[in-house]
Amino acid sequence: MVVTLGYWDIRGLAHAIRLLLEYTETPYQERQYRPGPAPDFDPSDWTNEKEKLGLDFPNLPYLIDGPTKLTQSNAILRYIARKHNMCGETEEEILRVDMLENQIMDLRMSFSQLCYNPDFEKLKPAYLEQLPGKLRELSRFLGSRPWFAGEKCPELQGNLGQFLQRFEALEKISAYMQSGRFMKTPVFWRTAQWCSTKE
Ligand SMILES: N[C@@H](CCC(=O)N[C@@H](CS)C(=O)NCC(=O)O)C(=O)O
């Protein structure tokens, strides 16, 4: 059965879900919601449907898989991952997945808070100052393992960079990235100060 992924017409919180759907060869279709033009960015394409989909906690992204309807991006990722035994097997693996899920969410949220802040340029130096430390933690966590469970940044040239190369070289991911379905940009919604338009 084809699952439906609903989200805005940006990468945002749906990107990891799209990658996982592609990687697991899950047949899916997208319902991409499109806000109206500036300056109002009318969200009614979404809000008109929001309460009619039978979602317990109506939000974007959502995934509808037959009778199963869910929101919360990490719950969606875990739902797909569980079907393919990708949540870790040993206690150590499960713990690494749990920690990483939340650590990455914190990193993404601090980045998106910066990108949606009207004082983006003012706040950027402090953000960039703490970023290498955060990436070093991530790099240490990956260590010499092949898999976990912007600005020029040397931390991304070591094992994290190689991890990214391994990830993007996965057959399904590489095919997706070369397909018309892949969304390089925009990463954020129309009101963000960084990467809110299509390149
Ligand atoms: N914790 C939620 C956050 C969801 C969220 O903030 N969604 C934003 C887009 S990134 C949205 O526009 N939601 C639609 C709404 O609030 O009606 C998740 O991880 O899925």
Side-chain angles (χ1 to χ4, degrees):
M1 189 190 298
V2 175
V3 307
T4 301
L5 171 65
Y7 196 60
W8 296 111
D9 55 351
I10 61 170
R11 279 167 66 136
L13 289 174
H15 191 61
I17 300 169
R18 293 182 182 119
L19 288 168
L20 190 56
L21 288 169
E22 295 281 340
Y23 180 74
T24 55
E25 295 186 284
T26 306
Y28 72 102
Q29 61 187 13
E30 290 205 48
R31 169 66 173 98
Q32 286 187 6
Y33 297 91
R34 205 170 290 267
D40 298 331
F41 304 111
D42 172 16
S44 58
D45 189 25
W46 159 238
T47 49
N48 286 343
E49 279 182 24
K50 181 170 176 170
E51 305 295 335
K52 298 181 187 152
L53 294 164
L55 299 164
D56 291 310
F57 304 105
N59 213 334
L60 294 172
Y62 65 73
L63 190 84
I64 298 181
D65 182 9
T68 307
K69 300 181 174 194
L70 64 161
T71 51
Q72 289 299 338
S73 54
N74 283 337
I76 296 172
L77 283 170
R78 282 192 175 260
Y79 172 75
I80 303 162
R82 265 196 311 277
K83 288 190 177 192
H84 299 273
N85 296 322
M86 292 174 75
C87 289
E89 281 171 18
T90 63
E91 179 59 26
E92 192 203 356
E93 282 174 1
I94 293 168
L95 212 126
R96 286 176 67 85
V97 171
D98 288 352
M99 277 202 299
L100 195 61
E101 170 188 344
N102 289 286
Q103 184 66 20
I104 295 288
M105 201 58 169
D106 286 356
L107 285 177
R108 291 158 90 188
M109 285 303 122
S110 70
F111 183 50
S112 77
Q113 272 164 15
L114 168 76
C115 291
Y116 284 104
N117 197 308
D119 286 332
F120 177 77
E121 289 301 338
K122 209 170 110 202
L123 299 171
K124 191 167 141 186
Y127 179 84
L128 290 178
E129 200 174 319
Q130 56 83 49
L131 182 62
K134 291 286 174 198
L135 292 176
R136 269 195 299 275
E137 286 176 357
L138 210 53
S139 174
R140 257 199 319 267
F141 186 69
L142 179 62
S144 57
R145 294 160 192 260
W147 303 105
F148 278 111
E151 309 279 328
K152 285 250 175 314
C153 186
E155 281 70 20
L156 278 180
Q157 281 156 25
N159 65 342
L160 283 183
Q162 286 156 20
F163 171 81
L164 200 61
Q165 277 173 18
R166 273 195 296 279
F167 182 76
E168 292 183 350
L170 289 168
E171 191 188 336
K172 303 287 180 279
I173 299 300
S174 142
Y176 171 54
M177 289 180 75
Q178 284 165 44
S179 76
R181 300 186 303 283
F182 183 68
M183 195 185 294
K184 186 155 181 270
T185 56
V187 172
F188 289 119
W189 218 68
R190 311 299 196 271
T191 49
Q193 308 293 317
W194 184 82
C195 209
S196 61
T197 54
K198 211 170 178 58
E199 268 176 19

